[in-house]
Amino acid sequence: MAEPLKVGLAGLGTVGSAVIRLLDQGRDKLVARCGRPIEVVALTARSRTKKRDFELKKFRWFDNPVTLARDPSIDVLVEVIGGEGDPAKRAIETALNAGKPVVTANKALLARHGQKLAALAERHGVALNFEAAVAGGIPIVKTLREGLNGAAFTRIYGILNGTCNYILTRMEQDRLAFDDCLKEAQRLGYAEADPTFDVEGHDTAQKLAILASLAFGTKIDPDAVYVEGISSITLADLDAAAELGYRVKLLGVAVKTQAGIEQRVHPTMVPKDSAIAQVMGVTNAVTVDAEGLAPITLVGPGAGGAATASAIVADLADIARGVVTPPFGRPTARMTAIRKAPMQHHEGGYYIRLLARDRPGTAATIARRLAQQKISLESIVQRHAAGSRGAAQPGRSGEAVPVIMITYATSEDAVHKALAAVRRDRVVSGRPQVIRLERA
Ligand code: HSE
């Protein structure tokens, strides 16, 4: 039999342990598919003494990932340490400089340094594969990089964070509080070490920056992504969405506009009957729109050890076969600088929830401010204050009642100006809730 591909594994958390398991269980299948076995021969992790569900002594142990990366006993480095800096970065650079291919699940590192690392891999003629970095077990990197080489992409959007989708699903279905759902996602191993990365949208933003680069051939720029998380979403928003025919999802959207590439992450109202609205729990989904091609949607597990390990093993299989693809689908010299479309020019529909003072003239004031910005309403609902339904008299002066509106397409700028004016008019209390709509 041909020589095995010898793997050095850096990181033994949920994902690293799942890679060991999957390579062990899938050994024969991989030999059949790649013509050679893929074997983990050496390991490194923060703790050597931690209890593991495999025998550590079967592998060579390294205290330092950088030493592992350059060791002649390994052919390829798998990096699942995480984090955008060292030691992950130095370990990857060391492996590439030593002419060894690298497989990584590290979206933070790729979003920040992907361009340079791709150039380094290119210089040494080796693979830098990162299927696991975006949408867990969904092969979206390969789809964009190889499967759709003939396509002219116009928009990529999706649910790219399992933790957020899990939280929104549990809140809606089980009427649970945000914090309880987050704790459960952490317990199940979906969340990042610092879960604010998930819930504030940064994890999605890093993944989106990578997808945008693959789709549009632009240099990766995580700072070009507009980011809003889900921590302000309440059950009231989820209920209102349902009533108006929508569902709330945290989406990452990269779209080609006249002003440049718009990259944004925010809670989004999607039509309740759309494919993306059906995606529940930790499941991820990515839809690709391209000229002359009906939309393609990939749906699958987005987080957790098994899903991520599946993507890592697929990347290793390519390396075992000797496949080297440019990391971002084209030589790095052909990746162009991104022309960032400013968010205030974003156009689309909006959901707005206000707490309006229940007194004569309030609705007229709000309507006037919207009209001044040429904002047209698709629907408007005002809730009665508790106990005032059917009363002969209008609501008690100053009492706050929710007013929920869905606008037709307008601009971000217009919505902000209209709401700022409404707040100055003192007809609402608190901050208005604004959620963008997306055609899906
Ligand atoms: N924390 C991430 C998620 C893990 O919830 O999707 C996969 O990147």
Side-chain angles (χ1 to χ4, degrees):
M1 194 188 299
E3 276 290 292
L5 179 75
K6 293 186 263 89
V7 177
L9 178 61
L12 283 177
T14 315
V15 176
S17 309
V19 169
I20 292 185
R21 259 195 313 277
L22 188 57
L23 283 176
D24 190 38
Q25 289 160 3
R27 186 185 161 89
D28 295 346
K29 242 187 316 275
L30 287 162
V31 172
R33 285 176 182 162
C34 312
R36 59 195 289 210
I38 302 174
E39 288 173 2
V40 176
V41 296
L43 302 174
T44 180
R46 247 182 316 204
S47 162
R48 192 175 182 168
T49 50
K50 193 174 157 187
K51 203 168 171 314
R52 318 251 176 215
D53 59 0
F54 57 86
E55 267 189 78
L56 205 60
K57 60 176 187 288
K58 283 195 343 210
F59 309 94
R60 270 187 76 195
W61 178 267
F62 287 78
D63 284 326
N64 185 337
V66 178
T67 318
L68 168 72
R70 71 163 78 93
D71 195 86
S73 69
I74 68 160
D75 301 320
V76 50
L77 176 74
V78 171
E79 182 274 311
V80 285
I81 301 170
E84 67 174 62
D86 294 334
K89 179 165 175 279
R90 258 192 75 210
I92 290 178
E93 287 166 346
T94 304
L96 295 175
N97 277 322
K100 295 179 203 292
V102 170
V103 174
T104 177
N106 192 333
K107 61 238 152 182
L109 178 62
L110 288 163
R112 189 59 62 194
H113 306 290
Q115 190 78 28
K116 281 200 179 122
L117 295 174
L120 194 58
E122 204 171 88
R123 201 172 323 136
H124 292 280
V126 293
L128 169 63
N129 292 344
F130 49 85
E131 187 61 74
V134 184
I138 300 177
I140 185 62
V141 172
K142 212 172 176 62
T143 299
L144 293 176
R145 189 168 65 184
E146 293 152 61
L148 290 170
N149 267 332
F153 299 106
T154 52
R155 181 175 65 153
I156 316 288
Y157 66 94
I159 295 170
L160 301 173
N161 185 272
T163 301
C164 286
N165 207 49
Y166 178 85
I167 291 173
L168 292 171
T169 302
R170 294 293 310 271
M171 281 175 74
E172 183 191 328
Q173 291 182 342
D174 302 318
R175 309 206 61 76
L176 291 175
F178 180 94
D179 286 340
D180 295 335
C181 302
L182 173 59
K183 275 192 201 116
E184 189 63 7
Q186 285 178 290
R187 194 186 64 76
L188 292 166
Y190 305 148
E192 298 300 304
D194 174 359
T196 54
F197 252 76
D198 295 295
V199 297
E200 296 309 337
H202 303 295
D203 175 82
T204 303
Q206 289 168 343
K207 293 167 178 168
L208 184 71
I210 295 169
L211 292 186
S213 175
L214 285 160
F216 300 117
T218 46
K219 293 181 179 164
I220 316 161
D221 183 1
D223 299 328
V225 185
Y226 171 85
V227 190
E228 250 177 53
I230 61 163
S231 55
S232 71
I233 300 296
T234 62
L235 273 174
D237 296 315
L238 302 186
D239 290 346
E243 197 178 321
L244 294 162
Y246 294 90
R247 187 167 267 152
V248 181
K249 295 288 179 191
L250 182 77
L251 289 194
V253 185
V255 57
K256 217 172 174 173
T257 73
Q258 300 227 315
I261 308 282
E262 192 175 273
Q263 295 182 72
R264 49 192 164 83
V265 172
H266 49 72
T268 311
M269 294 261 189
V270 289
K272 216 172 166 182
D273 56 3
S274 63
I276 204 111
Q278 316 312 316
V279 176
M280 305 304 261
V282 70
T283 306
N284 280 197
V286 188
T287 297
V288 176
D289 288 342
E291 281 169 25
L293 197 66
I296 295 171
T297 300
L298 301 182
V299 182
T308 314
S310 160
I312 288 172
V313 170
D315 278 348
L316 283 171
D318 264 353
I319 292 168
R321 293 183 184 112
V323 175
V324 183
T325 312
F328 289 92
R330 62 183 68 200
T332 46
R334 288 186 176 267
M335 291 168 77
T336 55
I338 202 158
R339 188 159 71 93
K340 177 184 165 186
M343 195 57 195
Q344 64 268 32
H345 293 177
H346 167 71
E347 297 212 343
Y350 287 78
Y351 156 98
I352 300 167
R353 181 168 54 83
L354 303 167
L355 273 181
R357 295 200 194 287
D358 196 6
R359 62 184 174 214
T362 292
T365 303
I366 295 170
R368 191 174 67 249
R369 291 307 189 185
L370 294 174
Q372 280 168 353
Q373 296 300 327
K374 301 191 170 42
I375 296 172
S376 179
L377 292 180
E378 181 188 291
S379 49
I380 177 164
V381 181
Q382 183 189 314
R383 299 259 176 262
H384 63 88
S388 70
R389 183 172 234 175
Q393 297 300 315
R396 288 185 294 277
S397 175
E399 202 171 355
V401 290
V403 173
I404 294 154
M405 298 174 284
I406 299 274
T407 77
Y408 285 113
T410 178
S411 76
E412 182 92 5
D413 206 28
V415 170
H416 283 174
K417 283 186 177 143
L419 293 182
V422 166
R423 290 183 79 188
R424 278 197 304 273
D425 292 334
R426 297 180 181 280
V427 290
V428 295
S429 62
R431 280 188 77 80
Q433 173 71 296
V434 175
I435 304 178
R436 295 165 194 86
L437 272 58
E438 188 74 18
R439 182 175 48 79

